[in-house]
Amino acid sequence: DQQVKQNSPSLSVQEGRISILNCDYTNSMFDYFLWYKKYPAEGPTFLISISSIKDKNEDGRFTVFLNKSAKHLSLHIVPSQPGDSAVYFCAARALPGGSYIPTFGRGTSLIVHP
Amino acid sequence: DAGVIQSPRHEVTEMGQEVTLRCKPISGHNSLFWYRQTMMRGLELLIYFNNNVPIDDSGMPEDRFSAKMPNASFSTLKIQPSEPRDSAVYFCASSQEETQYFGPGTRLLVL
């Protein structure tokens, strides 16, 4: 049973518009969330994270929102650029007392059209 | 730093053959992880080491899979005998604190 779910396997967006990638989780012990970005033929790279004590974290064009009551987080990319085309993995981790190893979703493939 | 280094980048083998994947973590990182990525299951953690000691291998699919970390700068993941369902991309990652750094992966195809 997947504890971290990315229900949209793919997303297509026009350059300059907003990209919204969604992630749901089931384990209420998760309290730290991460997004990784993966280009073809490369390994995933860390993009942005958020602790459960916050509901928003922003880094340039990337913002992650966390809704703990709904067990939902989302990654917003504004404005989207063709170079953002990649697979985005949502991951969640339980601390303290749990494993610091993140559990990953299956990923969402984002395509940004020029 | 060169980042996490994995070899080979691609491996094609026949069913029943032994496959060995190699990983060199980032110097100074004390944790090392092996992941497998498939379309159906996404990124699955197979095993992780802390200070060269295997901590959790519950993700290793079966006895055909084994992993070693003889020193802080080298780890191997071995599949013996390999099967077509083992075809996937295998990633190694290392970390010092919270953020994991992934290697480029080994794309394995078992015919």
Side-chain angles (χ1 to χ4, degrees):
Chain A
D1 186 29
Q2 280 221 308
Q3 297 187 64
V4 177
K5 300 178 183 178
Q6 295 178 257
N7 292 321
S8 298
S10 63
L11 176 67
S12 182
V13 172
Q14 197 81 27
E15 180 179 7
R17 308 293 284 267
I18 184 172
S19 295
I20 300 177
L21 296 96
N22 293 304
C23 179
D24 298 293
Y25 61 96
T26 58
N27 188 342
S28 58
M29 295 297 291
F30 287 147
D31 66 352
Y32 193 77
F33 305 89
L34 311 95
W35 285 94
Y36 282 77
K37 177 179 180 179
K38 182 187 176 307
Y39 291 118
E42 295 182 11
T45 55
F46 170 74
L47 184 59
I48 192 170
S49 63
I50 187 168
S51 165
S52 60
I53 62 173
K54 295 185 176 180
D55 55 16
K56 176 183 175 181
N57 189 26
E58 190 172 355
D59 183 3
R61 296 185 296 111
F62 301 89
T63 303
V64 56
F65 295 92
L66 175 63
N67 183 334
K68 282 193 68 178
S69 61
K71 295 190 177 67
H72 176 83
L73 64 156
S74 60
L75 175 67
H76 292 212
I77 307 173
V78 183
S80 302
Q81 299 174 354
D84 296 329
S85 299
V87 177
Y88 290 79
F89 289 97
C90 172
R93 203 175 65 198
L95 280 175
S99 170
Y100 71 99
I101 311 303
T103 299
F104 285 84
R106 293 183 183 175
T108 296
S109 177
L110 172 66
I111 300 173
V112 180
H113 296 284
Chain B
D1 198 321
V4 176
I5 299 172
Q6 290 187 247
S7 64
R9 293 294 308 273
H10 303 272
E11 177 81 25
V12 180
T13 191
E14 292 186 343
M15 182 173 64
Q17 296 297 307
E18 177 180 297
V19 175
T20 300
L21 312 181
R22 297 174 176 80
C23 175
K24 178 176 167 42
I26 293 173
S27 177
H29 284 191
N30 60 0
S31 295
L32 183 140
F33 311 82
W34 281 101
Y35 286 89
R36 177 172 68 177
Q37 183 192 10
T38 61
M39 290 292 291
M40 291 298 294
R41 302 175 72 89
L43 266 174
E44 301 175 272
L45 177 68
L46 300 177
I47 185 171
Y48 82 93
F49 296 83
N50 193 46
N51 293 321
N52 312 338
V53 177
I55 303 300
D56 184 357
D57 65 353
S58 59
M60 296 284 263
E62 47 199 271
D63 291 345
R64 298 184 298 106
F65 285 69
S66 63
K68 294 182 180 179
M69 192 166 185
N71 56 62
S73 60
F74 184 65
S75 176
T76 59
L77 177 67
K78 186 176 291 186
I79 308 173
Q80 166 64 19
S82 58
E83 297 182 1
R85 60 191 168 124
D86 302 329
S87 298
V89 182
Y90 291 81
F91 290 103
C92 175
S94 69
S95 71
Q96 176 59 28
E97 294 180 349
E98 296 178 340
T99 302
Q100 292 176 313
Y101 295 85
F102 285 78
T106 295
R107 184 173 293 275
L108 173 65
L109 177 61
V110 183
L111 302 174

